[in-house]
Amino acid sequence: MSTRRSTLEQVAARAKVSRGTVSRVVNGSARVNPRTRESVLRAIDELGYVPDRAARTLAARRTGVVALVLSEEPGRPFEQPYFGDILRGINSATGAAGIQLMLSFTRSPADRARLAHDLRTQRVDGVMVISLLRQDPLPGLLAGSGVPTVLGGRPLDPAMERGAYVDADNTGGARRATEHLIGQDRRRIATIAGLRGTTVGMDRLAGYRQALAGGPEPVSYGDFSAAGGAAAMRELLEREPSLDAVFVASDNMAVGALRVLERHGRRVPDDVAVIGFEDAAFARHAEPALTTVHQPTGEMGRRMVEMLLSRAHDTSPPDQPVICDTGLVVRASA
């Protein structure tokens, strides 16, 4: 078996692009359209191309290491499919760029302050922060120390909303989902919203409310888990026994809602239509198959890496968020 390493030129030939385009993808440039980037990444995977990270790091005088920080208990994030999917996207992009990924968790203010100090002194090239469940001071601590930082999701702090972050069009996706239910002549459309005080929860609730345009808004809140969705569905049925549709702010919660509706003898979609959000892998295998809003989670992870590398390589990068499109995937539940 040959042990020769694949070259940049071979990747370019396989992807049918120029050597310069491959170089831009490998170096995380944002100046490559998504379809071309996907072709290059696929060629890299097929050929097993590995950039010479040591040479590139030496030339750039950088460490070749970036950090991904999740502000949660180590086990809890991976209860949500979102985290696994975005991590795969991040890992794919850092691998293609020949960069080492360091994963870290923080749980308390002391953890965050200590981590900010460690990241500064270890001289990582940049940090990505995924913190969807609370207002997190870590991005501000890192920004104040000059460490290039990119957030996964719109920040809660209004002062940072024009900064470097990657998010899905949560409001637009929720609005389209609710409009789909309205178009089916559903009259009592409830929602199971995400956690209060989180931007993803607030944005999806806002989209639902935009579609109803001032109509009745039966709302119950969950925590993005299946158990939380089940509890919220039980509460809604007690308060709104005549509801005939529910938009749920995550697929995990939607699965919990489906179980409760079945136990209460409500047929889906005949009696109650259900739409989730995320398009997790298990959604198509739910019973019935779950209509949901697709968000390109893997792509979001790759765009975070691209944005981070752009900031790390540029002394004055533009602070401009990236909002990825969402789209409705119609299946059997609505």
Side-chain angles (χ1 to χ4, degrees):
M1 187 173 109
S2 173
T3 58
R4 294 182 61 187
R5 294 176 59 180
S6 298
T7 66
L8 206 68
E9 289 76 12
Q10 289 171 323
V11 173
R14 175 68 64 93
K16 296 182 173 59
V17 298
S18 70
R19 186 184 188 281
T21 297
V22 175
S23 181
R24 283 193 290 276
V25 172
V26 167
N27 285 286
S29 171
R31 299 194 303 274
V32 182
N33 74 59
R35 182 174 296 179
T36 301
R37 181 172 54 252
E38 288 291 340
S39 296
V40 172
L41 291 173
R42 186 164 53 250
I44 286 171
D45 288 341
E46 290 170 353
L47 293 172
Y49 172 70
V50 179
D52 188 348
R53 181 172 66 86
R56 290 173 55 229
T57 298
L58 181 62
R61 295 185 178 180
R62 294 189 172 88
T63 65
V65 178
V66 297
L68 173 63
V69 180
L70 291 87
S71 291
E72 281 302 312
E73 297 287 343
R76 179 175 168 81
F78 298 101
E79 296 174 5
Q80 315 301 329
Y82 167 84
F83 290 101
D85 291 342
I86 200 166
L87 179 56
R88 279 189 287 273
I90 289 171
N91 193 52
S92 171
T94 53
I99 295 168
Q100 184 177 348
L101 181 65
M102 180 177 75
L103 182 62
S104 183
F105 296 88
T106 65
R107 296 179 294 278
S108 69
D111 281 350
R112 296 180 184 95
R114 185 164 48 250
L115 179 64
H117 175 267
D118 290 346
L119 292 173
R120 288 196 303 269
T121 57
Q122 290 175 16
R123 296 183 58 80
V124 295
D125 294 340
V127 182
M128 293 167 283
V129 181
I130 299 177
S131 179
L132 302 182
L133 298 181
R134 62 175 65 89
Q135 189 164 358
D136 194 333
L138 182 60
L141 292 172
L142 294 169
S145 65
V147 179
T149 304
V150 171
L151 307 184
R154 182 172 68 83
L156 280 163
D157 183 354
M160 300 183 69
E161 283 192 12
R162 294 183 61 82
Y165 69 88
V166 177
D167 202 3
D169 181 11
N170 291 300
T171 301
R175 183 178 62 249
R176 285 188 289 273
T178 309
E179 288 170 347
H180 179 77
L181 295 170
I182 294 170
Q184 292 185 329
D185 205 28
R186 304 288 175 164
R187 297 302 185 190
R188 295 292 297 174
I189 303 172
T191 188
I192 297 175
L195 284 168
R196 291 182 173 94
T198 64
T199 55
V200 65
M202 292 188 295
D203 289 349
R204 293 176 188 177
L205 180 58
Y208 161 81
R209 286 174 165 160
Q210 286 177 12
L212 291 182
E217 300 173 356
V219 179
S220 186
Y221 293 87
D223 62 358
F224 296 109
S225 70
M233 190 72 250
R234 285 192 292 270
E235 179 187 331
L236 282 172
L237 288 174
E238 289 175 5
R239 287 195 285 116
E240 302 286 342
S242 62
L243 67 84
D244 60 4
V246 57
F247 164 63
V248 190
S250 81
D251 288 351
N252 251 6
M253 293 197 296
V255 167
L258 288 173
R259 292 171 185 161
V260 170
L261 289 168
E262 182 181 13
R263 293 191 195 107
H264 282 73
R266 303 293 184 93
R267 298 169 301 163
V268 177
D270 302 57
D271 300 327
V272 180
V274 177
I275 298 181
F277 200 115
E278 189 174 350
D279 196 18
F282 60 76
R284 71 194 66 183
H285 304 298
E287 186 56 45
L290 184 64
T291 295
T292 183
V293 178
H294 174 77
Q295 65 176 6
T297 313
E299 173 68 12
M300 290 162 63
R302 290 190 288 272
R303 296 296 294 274
M304 286 180 67
V305 175
E306 290 178 359
M307 180 179 284
L308 184 65
L309 294 181
S310 176
R311 292 176 67 78
H313 296 171
D314 191 337
T315 57
S316 57
D319 283 339
Q320 184 172 341
V322 171
I323 307 300
C324 297
D325 290 339
T326 56
L328 188 66
V329 180
V330 178
R331 298 192 179 105
S333 69

